[in-house]
Amino acid sequence: MFGRLFATLFTRKIKKANYVLLVQLIAAIAITVLSFTTSGHVYFGRQDLGVFPSFFMFVLFFSFIAALALYCITCNENEAINVNQSLRLLPISDSKYYLDNIFTSIATLAYFACIEAIGIGISFLLAFQFDGTFHSEVMTSYEKSSFVFNVEDFIVVIQSLILLVLFCLLFYLMLSFLNFSSQAIISFLPGSIKNKSLLGFIRVFLVFILIWALVKGIQALTPIFDAPFAVFFQSTSSNDLLEPISIFICFDLLFIAINLFLFNQYIEPKEKK
Amino acid sequence: MSNLLEIENLTYRKNLKVILKDINLNLKHGKIVALLGENGAGKTTLMRIIAGINKNFRGMVAIDGVQSVADRKRVISFSDSLSGFKESTKVAKIINFYEYLYDDFDKNKFKQLQKFMRLNENLRLSEMSKGMREKLIIALTFSRQAELYLLDEPFSGIDAMARKKIISSIILWKADEATILISDHFVNEIASMLDEVVVVKDKTIYCHKSTEEIRENNQSIEEFYENIYGEGDE
């Protein structure tokens, strides 16, 4: 069931990722065409760019906005799936359900990153192939850079990617934590509070208190997590990212444990008739 | 015969309010049981607890002696309101969802029920009337080979003629050993198919009787139910 639910949620989420990619592509094409039909030029610094380099630049620029948009969409989707009755009735434990939900979002981000990389690569190749100025600029920059591939740089790139994934995961988990804990606290408030605006205000207030408590907690816990790892990572420069990776893993695991407890105990699907 | 559903000392509170208190209920295999009670009595809450989607209750709920939520969900078919699907979702897509995610979903049985209910799988949820949607819910619920069917007010939007047809056929759609727990306000209409009646009143199980026992006292199910609520009003 874990695998089948994963596939179902992943399909649902990559559909949204595909919409974002489509909008990004249309936006990049539209702005390139508009720039050349209205002013006839696209400047990057003092450089007057051709059609394909401009398109490449806009694809690159919009990729950051698209990534941010998709991240917000998946955050919202995660929380909606957590209270989806049709899905919660599936024969799977709540813990596996929650993990399925969060991990499909990470998988969706990975899928999005791969498609983005391919898209950026294709637009770069188009510019490189069909724009002589861009081609020579790139070749000159490459020759000047004296780029040499070494294993240490490769490891740093891999570590950075792992750190990015762990950061994205932590943000998803923290968002769930704020949502779950405020919902759990509200379920202990008197049922006589029927005013939705008042409940909304109480929830926002609770979220602020929880954020404050979270910041204080993280500040207090970081040295505890930091200290044992610092011993191992002090000496070598290539291991710079291992320490933050370890700390992120600890926080991710901590929040997974807290969220699973809250999800199992308090989070009920929405009841609609 | 052993108990299919066992509930012991179940208490459920929400927002500092007791919704259900000290619920004790045992249901045997192969029965059709009505869960009756006025609006807000806690019938839906009780069904959602049995189905494993309402949390933070005290007490024990077990199906065939198994308490684990995932295992319980495996053998329970709950009449889901399909609120988890977008209004633009086509019926065909919902069928695929059930077929892919429920091992016990029988597509042939669904096809039979679809024909019986005259459901068009090319329709979107937004294009369906309340009655059509409820027919779809009933068809999906009974297309699973479950041990316990939980039907929460399944006929409220269905016209009288279709309702009668469905009620008279329900018994044919379940396996002999399977039990149905049904909550409905059309007490008179469902009375003919019932084996037992459970009444929820004052936040607890007020009474649990077999229909034979009720009829032996020369009472119809509806009269029996009305008398129970009449007692409180006097």
Side-chain angles (χ1 to χ4, degrees), chain B residues 150-168:
Chain B
L150 299 174
L151 307 179
D152 187 16
E153 293 178 18
F155 310 121
S156 52
I158 301 176
D159 63 277
M161 279 306 290
R163 202 161 58 223
K164 274 182 192 166
K165 235 173 94 179
I166 293 170
I167 289 168
S168 59

Side-chain angles (χ1 to χ4, degrees), chain A residues 82 94-102 173 176 180 259-260:
Chain A
N82 285 335
D94 289 326
S95 304
K96 284 181 184 170
Y97 181 93
Y98 179 71
L99 293 176
D100 243 341
N101 187 12
I102 293 293
L173 294 169
S176 288
F180 292 174
N259 286 352
L260 286 181

